């Protein structure tokens, strides 16, 4: 350690995780400090670590990047204190250091500059030593700091204070007596002090005599002097005080008798007196109290018997696991507690046996990091973290204030393999159900009961650690389900029940804090889900009445169209535009299709479990098929979303956009539920969006952007919902968008940079970041993409500035602010890219002038248009090449092609009896739906052609070996043709596959699997096929495809039909017919 010039050499060696191999108990924590969103820890050996939110450098590791694991800061540390955004520490030698935010001089170094590494706190002017020394105790408020110094040989300690000194005066007199705003150098404010406390903007000091002094802001009576007058110097307020604590505008005091007193602001019940009324005068709360701790808005008391009780704001479960968002009266939380620490939204308890339990919000990874020290820490609702997630829940005392069954069901869901979000959904759903039952027992109306379900679901999801927007969506779902069930049970019409579901979800979303657009979308989705419920109910009733009857139409198409129409109707009612309502309808239709597909197979968590436990080749093959089933489900979602868009009047391109977005979205949901990481989720989503876009007929030039948007959106969703790492979501969204767009065929730098910037901007807006942050994150992502794609320093800076400007406008900034954001982004990117400060400043100024309209825009936009046109041209040429290849034939004449097909088809009869095809057919139908759909189409075509030619009724084709042999020949030929060229435009559509099996992967691969499985089981053929050799490649062109089908048909007709004397000439078959 070096003291020269006030600079400090940071501790850079060793990491808490390194202790695991040497015995984790050697890393015993001596002291912990909980700040606004960051933690500090001092180990028994004096090593200091910090982690959590770091936007002002409060972690102290030299950066402003949030840290999700403990970072080594210094050695030889004795005590630490954490403010909202700054940190303090005393060294074993008695010196005091500080780091983090310094807007009010709270670091005590004589400046207002933020510090990302520890700096020395200086002494008052005229002191013997320029450094504040002999510090034995520290406390930190929002932006002020306190320290007790006891010099050797002195009997009386001295209390120093520095930092923010602003109070909100309640009277004119107080305004006159208010001192200066900031004190940037420590000043002595009191002597002979035993202990200190720093609230948000007020402070306490306790003497050994039991006298309590208070000063600072007093707008709620938090100083305890029975007035609302702020104090600019310490004033005695109470006697016989044993300990004290202070939070945001409230205070708690334990008297020598063990009585707990509270006074000040009582919002959310932070005083613990059973109500939310503010108290100017100290009010008795509890007896038999040993110590008290105050967080920002929640508090705890350790009783003399070792029990711990808590109260106050419980929005993120920081008081206890479960319960209402406000707990106004003390409830038992834990037993055998030695010490407890509370901060912004987090709580840590040290038990008497040395075990640590931690709970609350894990937004910046604050609480998960404790395991890094080798401690036996318990973390609520975090199954991904290597800590025992059940301990805290089982340790919490149960009350009537929340639904224990919901929490226990969520716990069981986690044990069963569900992710944290899916488990929270279970808790939210059950809490909603319990709330409905309670509301009805109390005589509530159906509307009130549905609203209660939404509120309960929101509380349960919030307690489970879900971000507000996720919990709000769970609330909308619960309210919608409750409204639909109540309306249905009351005998309401289907239309009224659907409307009730949508309206209840919309109201619950609004009540939970969703903006108008998101609440409207939630309402539309709820209406769609209600319509899906009724449609499936009607479908089941029809099947029960006529189980053997086969439907000519696609039943899922009819179901999804009902869903889409309901969602669109309610979306418009809630104020969505025509286009936005159709998009909501597309998502609703996609969800219905996806849910139906998943219901027919394994759920994502079951697939993950199957894959994890697979050992044998058979199990591994089954796991592979199960993953394929999830892909198929997302493709079904995209297919029916596209159909809904077209049905509701969208142009083909926009309908294809919906298909890609929906397929990518549901792929992301399924893969997240299967415990995939966000990078894998992004890759899957991009691939599924790509396939859906191709199937929907989107031009190649637009596909990379569709794939990139899906990848970025689902990565951001994952980081918000599964890991809470919102700080890196925009940058990761931009990075992954660039990667996936490149994979999808876009290789030009400028469009890739624009796509990356747009992806980052969308992610930042989705996460509801401030406008300045949206612009900053977007500029950073654009700069990173520009660098990755090989651009030079100046273009990198220029693109960062332009991207930031667009994002600023998207976030609602005015022109002047957007121009300034553009300048800052360009300058920062230029410096990072190696430009000189003057050069970077020049690019920044140019970006500023362009936004302000002082100079014209550059020709980048024209360049983008030219690049996109070039990409489209290349794609079209590739498409033509593929068509040319597909149109070729290995036969010169039609007769040669027909002879080859006939010879190859007979090869199966040479190996096996034709009857084997009947057995294979029955088995294959049980293996795969795609196979059955293909057979239905083939049989229908054959029957229609016979009817057109005036032939007699056919025999049962499902049991006719010759017909099935012919069908299998065509099937194997299609599969072989697919393997020859897997990029054939239009995919399986070129082969005449039915719409239900439109995708190459869904159709060809599924049929191949079903057919070869059946053949292997029934023929014991080592090649797993009924046919020897490769089938002849027959492509369209010169009537060969038509000739092939006609040849097969004619070969079957004499055996299956009795042609009348005046049958039509086969040569007159219309080549433009559906069959042709």
């Amino acid at each position: 350690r070096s003291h020269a010039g006030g600079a400090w050499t940071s501790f850079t060696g060793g990491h808490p995780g390194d202790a695991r191999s040497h015995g984790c108990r050697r890393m015993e924590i001596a002291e912990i400090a909980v700040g606004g969103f960051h933690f500090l820890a001092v180990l028994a050996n004096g090593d200091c670590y910090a982690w959590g939110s770091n936007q002002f450098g409060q972690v102290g590791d030299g950066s402003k990047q949030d840290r999700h694991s403990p970072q080594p800061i210094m050695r030889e540390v004795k005590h630490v204190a954490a403010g909202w955004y700054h940190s303090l520490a005393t060294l074993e030698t008695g010196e005091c250091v500080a780091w983090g935010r310094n807007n009010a001089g709270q670091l005590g170094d004589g400046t207002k500059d933020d510090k990302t590494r520890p700096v020395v706190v200086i002494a008052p002017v005229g002191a013997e030593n320029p450094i504040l020394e002999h510090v034995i105790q520290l406390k930190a408020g929002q932006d002020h700091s306190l320290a007790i110094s006891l010099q050797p040989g002195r009997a009386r300690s001295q209390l120093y204070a520095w930092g923010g000194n602003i109070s909100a005066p309640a009277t004119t007199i107080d305004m006159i007596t208010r001192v200066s705003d900031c004190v940037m150098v420590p000043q002595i404010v009191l002597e002979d002090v035993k202990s200190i406390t720093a609230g948000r903007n007020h402070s306490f000091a306790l003497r050994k005599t039991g006298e309590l002094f208070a000063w600072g802001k007093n707008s709620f009576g938090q100083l305890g002097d029975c007035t609302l007058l702020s104090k600019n110097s310490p004033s005695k307020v109470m006697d016989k005080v044993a300990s004290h604590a202070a939070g945001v505008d409230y205070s708690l005091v334990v008297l020598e008798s063990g009585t707990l007193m509270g006074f000040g602001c009582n919002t959310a019940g932070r005083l613990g007196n059973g109500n939310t009324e503010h108290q100017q005068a100290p009010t008795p709360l509890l007896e038999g109290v040993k110590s008290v701790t105050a967080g920002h808005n929640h508090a705890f008391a350790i009783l003399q018997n070792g029990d711990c009780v808590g109260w106050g704001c419980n929005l993120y479960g920081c008081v206890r696991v479960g319960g209402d968002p406000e707990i106004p009266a003390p409830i038992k939380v834990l037993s055998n507690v030695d010490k407890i620490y509370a901060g912004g939204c987090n709580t840590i308890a040290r038990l008497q046996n040395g075990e640590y339990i931690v709970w609350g919000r894990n937004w910046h990874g604050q609480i998960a990091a404790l395991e890094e020290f080798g401690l036996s820490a318990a973390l609520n609702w975090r199954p991904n973290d290597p800590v025992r997630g059940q301990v805290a829940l089982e340790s919490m005392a149960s009350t009537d204030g929340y639904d224990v069954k919901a929490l226990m069901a969520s716990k069981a869901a986690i044990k069963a393999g569900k992710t944290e979000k899916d488990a929270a959904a279970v808790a939210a759903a059950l809490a909603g159900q319990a709330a409905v039952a309670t509301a009805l027992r109390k005589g509530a109306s159906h509307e009130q009961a549905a609203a209660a379900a939404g509120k309960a679901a929101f509380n349960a999801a919030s307690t489970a650690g879900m971000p507000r927007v996720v919990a709000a969506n769970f609330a909308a779902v619960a309210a919608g389900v409750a409204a639909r069930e109540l309306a249905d049970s009351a005998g309401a019409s289907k239309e009224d029940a659907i409307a009730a579901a949508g309206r209840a979800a919309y109201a619950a979303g609004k009540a939970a804090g969703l903006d108008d657009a998101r609440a409207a979308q939630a309402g539309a989705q709820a209406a769609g889900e209600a319509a899906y419920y009724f449609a499936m109910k009607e479908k089941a009733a029809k099947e029960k009445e006529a189980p053997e009857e086969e439907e000519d139409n696609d039943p899922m198409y009819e179901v999804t169209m009902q869903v889409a129409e309901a969602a669109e109707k309610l979306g418009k009612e809630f104020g969505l535009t025509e286009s936005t309502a159709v998009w909501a309808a597309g998502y609703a239709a996609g969800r219905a299709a996806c849910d139906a597909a998943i219901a027919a197979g394994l759920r994502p968590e079951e697939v993950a479990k199957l894959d994890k436990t697979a050992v044998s080749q058979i199990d591994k093959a089954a796991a592979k098929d199960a993953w394929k089933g999830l892909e198929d489900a997302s493709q079904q979602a995209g297919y029916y979303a596209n159909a809904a868009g077209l049905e509701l009047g969208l142009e083909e391109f926009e309908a294809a956009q919906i298909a890609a977005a929906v397929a990518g979205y549901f792929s992301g949901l399924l893969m997240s539920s299967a415990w995939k990481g966000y990078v894998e989720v992004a890759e899957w989503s991009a691939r599924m969006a790509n396939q859906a876009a191709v199937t929907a007929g989107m031009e190649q030039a637009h596909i990379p952007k569709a794939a990139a948007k899906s990848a970025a959106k689902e990565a951001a969703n994952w980081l918000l919902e599964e890991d809470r790492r919102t700080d890196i979501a925009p940058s990761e969204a931009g990075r992954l968008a660039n990667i996936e767009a490149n994979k999808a065929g876009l290789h030009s730098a400028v469009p890739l940079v624009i796509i990356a910037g747009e992806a980052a901007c969308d992610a930042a807006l989705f996460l509801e970041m401030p406008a300045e942050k949206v612009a900053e994150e977007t500029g950073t992502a654009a700069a990173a993409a520009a660098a990755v794609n090989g651009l030079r320093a100046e273009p990198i800076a220029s693109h960062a500035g332009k991207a930031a400007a667009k994002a600023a406008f998207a976030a609602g900034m005015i022109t002047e602010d957007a121009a300034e954001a553009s300048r800052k982004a360009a300058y920062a990117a230029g410096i990072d890219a190696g430009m000189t400060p003057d050069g970077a400043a020049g690019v920044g100024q140019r970006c500023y002038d362009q936004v302000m309209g002082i100079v014209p825009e550059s020709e980048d936009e024209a360049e983008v248009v030219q690049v996109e046109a070039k990409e489209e041209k290349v794609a079209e040429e590739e498409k033509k090449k593929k068509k040319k290849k597909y149109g070729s034939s290995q036969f010169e004449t039609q007769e040669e092609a027909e002879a080859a097909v006939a010879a190859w088809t007979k090869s199966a009869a040479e190996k096996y009896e034709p009857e084997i095809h009947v057995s294979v057919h029955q088995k294959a139908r049980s293996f795969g739906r795609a196979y059955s759909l293909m057979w239905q189409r083939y049989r229908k075509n054959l029957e229609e052609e016979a009817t057109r030619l005036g032939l007699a009724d056919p025999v049962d084709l499902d049991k006719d070996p010759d017909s099935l042999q012919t069908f299998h020949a065509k099937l194997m030929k299609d599969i072989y043709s697919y393997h020859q060229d897997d990029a054939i435009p239009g995919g399986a559509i070129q082969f005449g596959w039915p719409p239900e099996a439109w995708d190459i992967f869904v159709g060809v691969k599924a049929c191949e699997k079903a057919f070869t499985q059946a053949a292997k089981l029934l023929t014991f053929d080592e090649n797993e096929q009924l046919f020897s050799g490769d089938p002849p490649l027959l492509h369209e062109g010169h009537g060969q495809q038509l000739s092939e089908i006609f040849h097969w048909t004619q070969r079957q007709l004499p055996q299956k039909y009795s042609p009348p004397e005046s049958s039509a000439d086969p040569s007159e078959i219309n080549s433009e017919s559906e069959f042709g």
Side-chain angles (χ1 to χ4, degrees):
R1 189 172 73 235
S2 172
H3 297 250
W8 290 80
T9 302
S10 298
F11 167 34
T12 58
H15 190 276
D18 299 338
R20 294 173 185 162
S21 61
H22 303 292
C24 62
R25 284 302 171 189
R26 287 170 46 190
M27 304 296 287
E28 180 182 358
I29 291 179
E31 185 170 299
I32 284 179
V34 183
F37 297 101
H38 72 292
F39 284 6
L40 305 173
V42 180
L43 304 187
N45 63 3
D47 292 344
C48 177
Y49 291 83
W51 63 97
S53 175
N54 196 27
Q55 69 266 47
F56 297 102
Q58 59 264 45
V59 168
D61 66 341
S63 76
K64 290 188 177 182
Q65 298 295 317
D66 292 346
R67 298 303 183 186
H68 307 287
S69 62
Q71 304 298 308
I73 308 302
M74 300 186 73
R75 283 190 167 125
E76 300 178 20
V77 174
K78 193 169 185 179
H79 299 294
V80 288
W84 282 29
Y85 304 108
H86 73 291
S87 304
L88 305 172
T90 61
L91 307 182
E92 293 174 353
T93 53
E95 294 95 337
C96 181
V97 295
W99 61 94
R101 193 175 191 185
N102 199 25
N103 62 306
Q106 58 263 50
L107 300 189
D109 66 340
T111 75
K112 286 189 178 182
D113 298 327
D114 298 346
K115 301 297 189 299
T116 60
R117 290 194 182 279
V119 295
V120 175
V121 177
I122 62 179
V125 177
E128 294 179 3
N129 195 312
I131 297 175
L132 186 61
E133 295 182 308
H134 311 299
V135 175
I136 59 174
Q137 192 176 142
L138 287 167
K139 293 296 179 181
Q142 176 178 314
D143 54 12
H144 75 288
S145 306
L146 304 174
I148 299 177
S149 174
L150 181 60
Q151 296 184 14
R154 288 181 59 106
R156 294 167 63 88
S157 63
Q158 294 177 314
L159 172 59
Y160 290 83
W162 63 95
N165 197 30
I166 299 175
S167 64
T171 69
T172 305
I173 296 175
D174 192 49
M175 184 177 293
I176 294 173
T177 60
R178 189 180 63 170
V179 296
S180 61
D181 291 349
C182 298
V183 178
M184 294 186 290
V185 177
Q187 302 293 321
I188 298 176
V189 296
L190 195 65
E191 291 190 340
D192 194 21
V193 175
K194 171 187 174 182
S195 63
I196 50 178
T197 289
R200 182 185 184 184
N201 292 308
H202 69 295
S203 305
F204 288 96
L206 178 65
R207 283 180 170 167
K208 293 180 181 180
T209 58
E211 297 171 291
L212 183 68
F213 292 80
W215 66 98
K217 188 176 179 181
N218 197 27
S219 54
F220 292 93
Q222 60 263 46
L223 297 187
D225 62 352
C226 301
T227 76
L228 296 177
L229 299 177
S230 298
K231 300 291 186 293
N232 56 22
S233 62
S235 175
K236 179 180 174 180
V237 293
M238 298 179 73
D239 288 305
K240 298 182 179 181
V241 173
S243 62
H244 46 96
V248 176
D249 302 331
Y250 76 104
S251 307
L252 302 167
V253 169
V254 180
L255 302 181
E256 293 173 351
S257 62
T259 301
L260 175 64
M261 312 292 286
F263 41 96
C265 179
N266 200 20
T267 302
R270 66 188 76 169
L271 293 183
N273 64 348
N275 59 53
T276 57
E277 297 179 1
H278 309 317
Q279 300 293 325
Q280 290 180 232
T283 303
L285 304 176
L286 288 171
E287 299 293 335
V289 175
K290 181 180 178 181
S291 63
V292 66
T293 297
H296 285 189
N297 301 297
H298 67 296
F300 299 89
I302 298 178
L303 307 184
Q304 292 172 354
N305 63 3
D307 288 344
C308 177
V309 296
W311 61 91
C313 179
N314 191 41
L315 186 61
Y316 296 101
C318 51
V319 174
R320 57 165 297 151
V321 180
D324 294 329
E326 297 179 4
I327 301 177
I331 58 173
K332 183 179 176 181
V333 177
L334 291 169
S335 298
N336 302 317
V337 177
D338 177 57
K339 195 165 185 179
I340 196 160
Y341 308 85
C345 301
N346 317 110
T347 306
I348 301 176
R350 186 180 190 275
L351 304 185
Q352 293 173 357
N353 63 3
E355 182 177 76
Y356 279 78
I357 294 179
V358 54
W359 63 97
R361 193 176 189 184
N362 196 35
W363 190 17
H364 296 281
Q366 303 99 311
I367 55 183
L370 279 176
E371 194 272 342
E372 298 270 354
F373 294 106
L375 296 177
S376 179
L379 175 62
N380 303 328
W381 302 96
R382 294 289 301 166
N384 276 327
D385 290 329
V387 291
R388 294 182 289 109
Q390 290 81 17
V391 174
L393 180 59
E394 293 170 350
S395 300
M396 298 295 176
S398 62
T399 71
D400 296 330
Y402 74 109
D403 188 6
V404 178
K405 292 182 179 179
L407 293 173
M408 296 307 292
S410 179
K411 175 182 171 183
I414 290 174
K415 289 183 176 180
K418 286 188 178 293
T419 64
E420 179 183 5
K421 179 187 174 186
D422 291 342
V426 172
L430 286 175
Q433 293 171 9
V436 170
T438 301
L440 293 177
R441 283 198 303 270
K442 294 180 179 179
S445 66
H446 286 181
E447 291 78 8
Q448 292 170 330
K455 182 179 179 181
F458 178 80
N459 292 343
S462 297
T463 300
M466 290 296 101
R468 181 189 59 80
V469 66
V470 178
N473 279 311
F474 284 162
V477 170
V481 170
R484 186 259 297 165
E485 290 178 345
L486 291 170
D488 191 28
S489 64
S493 66
K494 177 177 72 174
E495 290 74 17
D496 289 344
I498 292 172
R503 290 163 187 159
Y506 175 75
K510 289 281 289 181
L514 293 181
D515 58 31
D516 290 341
R518 290 186 179 182
Q521 290 167 357
Q525 292 300 313
E529 290 178 18
Y532 175 64
Y533 166 81
F534 287 110
M536 296 303 288
K537 188 176 178 181
E538 293 170 356
K539 182 175 179 291
K542 289 180 181 179
E543 291 175 350
K544 186 175 182 180
E545 293 175 0
E548 302 299 330
E549 183 177 339
E550 292 191 8
E551 299 185 38
D552 293 334
N553 298 325
D554 174 14
M556 185 49 62
Y557 180 86
E558 297 177 3
V559 169
T560 52
M561 289 310 103
Q562 292 180 43
V563 169
E565 290 168 3
E568 182 198 28
K569 180 180 178 181
L570 267 295
K572 290 180 178 178
E573 178 181 317
F574 300 141
L576 294 180
T577 65
E578 185 83 25
S579 177
T580 309
V582 175
W583 272 79
Y587 273 91
R591 179 177 292 279
C594 184
D595 287 349
I598 293 299
L602 295 178
R603 300 196 63 79
E605 65 271 17
E606 296 170 334
V607 175
K609 185 176 181 180
L610 177 64
D611 188 35
K612 185 177 180 180
T613 58
V615 177
S616 67
Q617 291 299 320
I618 294 177
D619 289 343
K620 290 180 179 179
K624 184 178 180 181
D625 293 338
W627 285 117
K628 180 64 171 57
L630 297 184
E631 289 189 3
D632 293 347
S634 66
Q635 289 301 293
Q636 289 287 322
Y639 171 73
Y640 286 106
N642 177 68
L646 294 173
E647 186 72 23
L648 296 175
L650 290 185
E651 296 293 333
E652 289 186 3
F653 173 67
E654 192 170 3
Q657 285 183 311
I658 292 180
V662 169
Y665 173 71
F666 285 103
S667 174
L669 286 184
L670 296 174
M671 292 305 109
S672 295
S673 295
W675 290 95
K676 294 292 185 181
Y678 73 91
V679 175
E680 290 178 288
V681 166
E683 291 173 348
W684 281 67
S685 297
R687 187 155 57 85
M688 293 300 99
N690 191 328
Q691 290 182 27
V694 171
T695 302
M698 183 181 287
E699 291 293 334
Q700 176 60 37
H702 301 294
I703 290 176
K705 187 172 184 178
K709 288 186 71 173
S710 284
K713 182 177 180 181
E714 298 319 309
N717 275 336
W718 192 98
L719 289 167
L720 170 68
E721 298 171 356
E722 301 293 346
D723 198 50
R724 264 33 119 243
R725 297 178 66 188
T726 54
D727 53 323
I728 67 170
S731 59
E732 284 298 278
R735 183 180 71 85
L736 293 169
N738 176 69
I739 291 172
E740 297 304 328
N742 193 284
K743 287 182 182 177
L746 182 61
H747 306 301
S748 298
V750 173
L752 287 171
V753 172
I754 292 174
I755 285 175
E758 290 176 350
C761 177
D762 290 343
L765 290 173
F766 172 72
L767 297 173
E768 299 180 329
M769 289 183 170
E772 295 80 3
K773 189 69 172 175
V774 173
E776 178 187 344
E777 293 287 349
T778 302
T780 301
V788 168
N789 287 286
L791 295 186
R792 294 176 293 104
E794 185 172 339
I796 288 174
S798 178
H799 281 295
K802 290 176 181 178
K806 291 180 180 179
F809 284 123
M813 279 189 177
I814 62 175
T815 302
E816 290 78 5
D817 292 341
E820 186 58 33
S822 179
R823 185 214 302 269
K824 289 181 179 178
Y827 179 81
I831 294 297
D832 289 343
M835 296 182 72
T836 64
D838 289 343
V843 176
Q845 185 61 45
R846 187 163 66 248
C847 289
Y848 179 93
D849 293 343
Q850 288 173 353
V851 175
M852 296 297 294
I854 299 173
V855 298
E857 290 277 359
S858 67
E859 298 180 357
D860 281 351
E861 294 297 328
E863 179 185 350
V864 172
V865 173
Q866 293 174 2
V867 169
E868 289 180 345
K870 183 179 179 180
E871 295 282 350
E872 289 185 14
K873 185 177 180 181
V874 171
E876 190 62 30
E877 290 176 352
E878 290 295 323
K879 193 173 180 181
K880 289 179 180 179
K881 289 179 182 178
K882 291 174 181 177
K883 282 186 175 181
K884 183 177 180 181
K885 178 180 179 182
Y886 183 67
S888 64
S889 174
Q890 66 187 75
F891 304 104
E892 294 183 1
T893 65
Q894 181 173 316
E895 290 73 16
E896 289 180 7
E898 292 175 355
V901 172
W904 180 69
T905 305
K906 291 179 181 179
S907 65
E910 295 174 0
K911 293 174 62 178
Y912 305 105
E913 292 297 323
E915 285 73 16
I916 193 68
H917 284 272
V918 178
S919 300
V920 169
H921 177 68
Q922 297 301 325
K923 200 70 177 176
R925 291 188 74 175
S926 69
F927 281 152
R929 180 170 179 263
Y931 174 93
S932 298
L933 292 170
M934 182 60 193
W935 165 248
Q936 290 172 18
R937 173 57 62 90
Y938 179 80
R939 182 179 63 182
K940 180 180 178 182
N941 288 341
L942 194 63
E943 292 171 349
E944 288 179 351
E945 190 63 21
T947 300
R948 196 184 72 79
L949 295 176
L951 304 179
D953 293 337
V955 297
D956 187 356
L957 297 178
D958 282 294
K959 297 180 180 179
D960 182 72
D962 293 329
S963 296
L964 292 171
Q965 178 179 329
T966 303
F967 167 66
H968 290 158
K970 180 182 187 303
L971 179 62
M972 290 304 295
K973 182 194 72 66
D974 289 347
I975 292 170
Y976 179 75
S977 297
Y978 159 71
H979 283 303
Q980 290 292 314
D981 186 357
D982 60 0
I984 295 173
I989 295 175
Q990 295 283 6
F991 301 138
W993 288 68
E996 295 86 346
W998 40 268
D999 182 74
I1000 292 178
F1001 291 94
V1002 175
V1004 176
K1005 295 295 290 182
C1007 275
E1008 179 184 26
K1009 172 178 169 42
F1011 183 62
T1012 54
Q1013 268 190 315
K1016 180 178 181 180
L1017 288 175
L1018 296 170
T1019 66
F1020 304 102
D1021 180 28
E1022 61 182 12
N1023 294 321
E1024 301 179 16
Q1025 62 180 22
L1026 288 172
F1027 300 92
S1028 61
D1030 295 330
L1033 276 174
L1034 300 179
H1035 301 292
E1036 61 184 355
H1038 307 296
Q1040 289 175 2
Q1041 188 76 9
L1042 172 64
S1043 174
E1044 173 194 347
I1045 296 174
F1046 174 69
H1047 179 77
W1048 286 343
T1049 303
Q1050 286 300 101
R1051 198 169 68 241
Q1052 301 305 313
L1053 288 179
Q1055 304 174 36
K1056 312 300 169 222
Y1057 303 90
S1058 299
E1061 296 181 357
S1062 59
S1063 61
D1065 185 349
S1067 63
E1068 296 177 357
I1069 292 178
N1070 180 8
S1071 64
E1072 299 301 323
S1073 69
E1074 180 185 2
F1075 180 46

